[in-house]
Amino acid sequence: MFFRYLCMEQKKALAVFIKSFRYFICMVLLLGMAVLACSAAFRDAKVLNAVDVAVVIPEEKGEELRLLTGLASAMQSAKSICRMHYVDESVAMEQLAQGTVQAVLIFPEHFYKDLDEGNDSFVRLCVPQESDVSLQTFQELLQDGVSILWTAEAGVSAVLEQAQYGNTKIAYQDIGLKVATNYLKTALTRTGLYDSMVCSPFGEYEQKQYYFSTGLILVLLFTGLCFARLYTGGTKVVEQKLSLYGMRAGRIAFGKIMAMTNVLFLLAFLAYGIGCIVTYELEISFLFWDVRVLPGLYLLCLLFAVGYHLIYCIAGKSTEGLLVLLALEVLMVLASGMLVPVDYLPKFVQQISHWTPLYHLNRYGLELLFGNSWF
């Protein structure tokens, strides 16, 4: 009898979902637009905006200098604070006056030759008289970088002087090549160091991963509105008749929860499968198939189904439960950092964000889909 009841509840849950399918499609479209809008809004969101810098390179050894500056500007640590453009000096100064660029970096003539021969050579930085916080930060970071290079230069000079009069394991003429090689290795790995150390509002995950998990959680969250019909007055009459035949309330609740969980798992499985197919077809690094993810997805859907059942049971009537569930969902979405990352929320909202269930469910979804944990 209990198995027949489970089948009946499952058919009823599927029928309710199918009847509400058009509303579900509208909900998915609206949630998709909301997630895409938030993702686009926070795509380049930073505490400090990158400044536009015009770079003036002399004709002598211009290709070599362009290669070196291009290597530096391609690093993530450099791209986070500036965007470099190569122009002539007259054009650069005109753009600075018009406000098209915020700074001009001018390399002098014979700069490459001076560096090669060990002579001092200075690069000019031109900035407007009035500057904002981002430009001031760029100047300070540039000055700090120059200071670090001076310190490194002093260290190299000390090593060379010591090697000239002492015994070294490598030849004196090879020390400069060794230092240059090690410096290039460190420079080329700066992007990896920057990515591993920089603070991001999305944590250790990429933005697309964060909003994919957010979209999945929101779909599962608002799908609970479709199950309000499982708690109508007619359903309660059926439950009373079942209790007369010895069906306990715990088994009735278990049947409803499992029926909702299975429908939610079907949606989660489809979303996960589509993500894996898109990753395979586009040959990108995003979402990969792993059968161990499926039990974790089922557990996630089970948690949502238990929450729906508790809210509808406490509310008593399906209409009131629907309103209570909708109000709670809207409040939790706004306060949990689902659409807007927690770091961008007001301070008083941040204090309660970590106490909301959706915050932890989203973290669980991220770790499940893109991390190394399946439970």
Side-chain angles (χ1 to χ4, degrees):
M1 182 178 177
F2 179 64
F3 180 74
R4 292 178 60 186
Y5 170 70
L6 288 178
C7 294
M8 181 186 69
E9 283 293 336
Q10 189 63 68
K11 291 180 181 179
K12 190 187 301 183
L14 284 173
V16 166
F17 178 74
I18 292 173
K19 287 182 180 179
S20 306
F21 188 72
R22 56 180 179 177
Y23 302 106
F24 173 77
I25 294 298
C26 294
M27 177 195 69
V28 171
L29 292 176
L30 290 175
L31 290 176
M33 289 188 291
V35 171
L36 287 176
C38 292
S39 177
F42 291 98
R43 180 178 57 188
D44 298 320
K46 300 175 182 178
V47 177
L48 293 172
N49 295 322
V51 299
D52 291 298
V53 180
V55 181
V56 179
I57 293 180
E59 295 182 359
E60 181 186 358
K61 296 290 184 178
E63 292 297 326
E64 288 82 354
L65 282 177
R66 190 182 294 270
L67 179 63
L68 291 176
T69 54
L71 177 64
S73 62
M75 296 179 184
Q76 187 65 28
S77 54
K79 289 194 294 185
S80 64
I81 60 172
C82 68
R83 293 182 294 267
M84 294 186 181
H85 312 280
Y86 299 97
V87 294
D88 295 332
E89 183 173 354
S90 58
V91 177
M93 299 307 295
E94 183 179 354
Q95 291 180 349
L96 181 64
Q98 295 175 353
T100 308
V101 297
Q102 287 77 50
V104 176
L105 204 60
I106 303 176
F107 288 87
E109 294 288 342
H110 313 298
F111 178 79
Y112 191 89
K113 180 180 178 181
D114 292 338
L115 288 182
D116 189 42
E117 296 178 354
N119 300 324
D120 292 334
S121 185
F122 298 94
V123 178
R124 286 190 296 157
L125 176 66
C126 303
V127 296
Q129 294 182 351
E130 298 182 359
S131 57
D132 56 9
V133 177
S134 297
L135 182 56
Q136 293 175 7
T137 304
F138 169 74
Q139 291 179 256
E140 292 179 3
L141 291 175
L142 184 61
Q143 185 176 355
D144 292 341
V146 173
S147 300
I148 292 174
L149 289 177
W150 284 347
T151 304
E153 184 182 7
V156 171
S157 300
V159 171
L160 290 175
E161 185 177 354
Q162 182 67 25
Q164 188 174 4
Y165 301 103
N167 295 324
T168 58
K169 294 182 180 180
I170 59 177
Y172 175 80
Q173 60 270 20
D174 294 334
I175 292 179
L177 180 62
K178 184 71 174 178
V179 172
T181 303
N182 290 335
Y183 180 82
L184 283 176
K185 287 181 179 179
T186 304
L188 292 174
T189 56
R190 281 195 66 193
T191 296
L193 293 173
Y194 180 85
D195 291 337
S196 62
M197 299 298 294
V198 69
C199 295
S200 169
F202 306 106
E204 64 273 21
Y205 301 100
E206 297 180 8
Q207 185 183 31
K208 58 184 178 182
Q209 296 174 339
Y210 181 88
Y211 279 109
F212 181 85
S213 175
T214 295
L216 177 60
I217 296 296
L218 290 178
V219 168
L220 297 179
L221 178 67
F222 287 99
T223 303
L225 300 175
C226 302
F227 298 128
R229 296 183 181 181
L230 296 177
Y231 297 86
T232 58
T235 304
K236 293 184 179 296
V237 173
V238 175
E239 293 176 1
Q240 292 174 359
K241 291 182 179 180
L242 289 173
S243 62
L244 294 177
Y245 286 101
M247 184 76 69
R248 296 181 179 178
R251 290 192 172 187
I252 295 175
F254 179 79
K256 291 181 179 295
I257 291 173
M258 295 308 298
M260 292 186 291
T261 301
N262 292 333
V263 175
L264 293 175
F265 178 71
L266 177 62
L267 296 176
F269 178 78
L270 289 175
Y272 178 58
I274 292 173
C276 294
I277 292 174
V278 171
T279 300
Y280 177 78
E281 292 295 332
L282 299 181
E283 297 181 353
I284 58 177
S285 177
F286 177 58
L287 190 61
F288 300 95
W289 175 261
D290 194 324
V291 69
R292 291 173 293 183
V293 173
L294 301 182
L297 281 178
Y298 196 86
L299 176 60
L300 180 66
C301 297
L302 179 62
L303 293 174
F304 275 103
V306 171
Y308 301 150
H309 180 74
L310 290 176
I311 292 175
Y312 284 127
C313 287
I314 293 173
K317 298 179 181 180
S318 62
T319 304
E320 295 177 358
L322 185 65
L323 294 176
V324 171
L325 180 61
L326 181 60
L328 287 175
E329 288 177 350
V330 172
L331 289 176
M332 285 193 296
V333 167
L334 295 176
S336 61
M338 297 287 291
L339 296 177
V340 180
V342 176
D343 292 338
Y344 292 109
L345 294 175
K347 293 295 183 181
F348 72 94
V349 180
Q350 293 182 18
Q351 295 175 357
I352 63 175
S353 295
H354 298 286
W355 295 92
T356 57
L358 280 184
Y359 174 83
H360 296 284
L361 288 173
N362 192 30
R363 303 306 301 181
Y364 172 77
L366 282 168
E367 188 67 24
L368 176 68
L369 296 172
F370 305 104
N372 298 318
S373 299
W374 296 279
F375 290 100

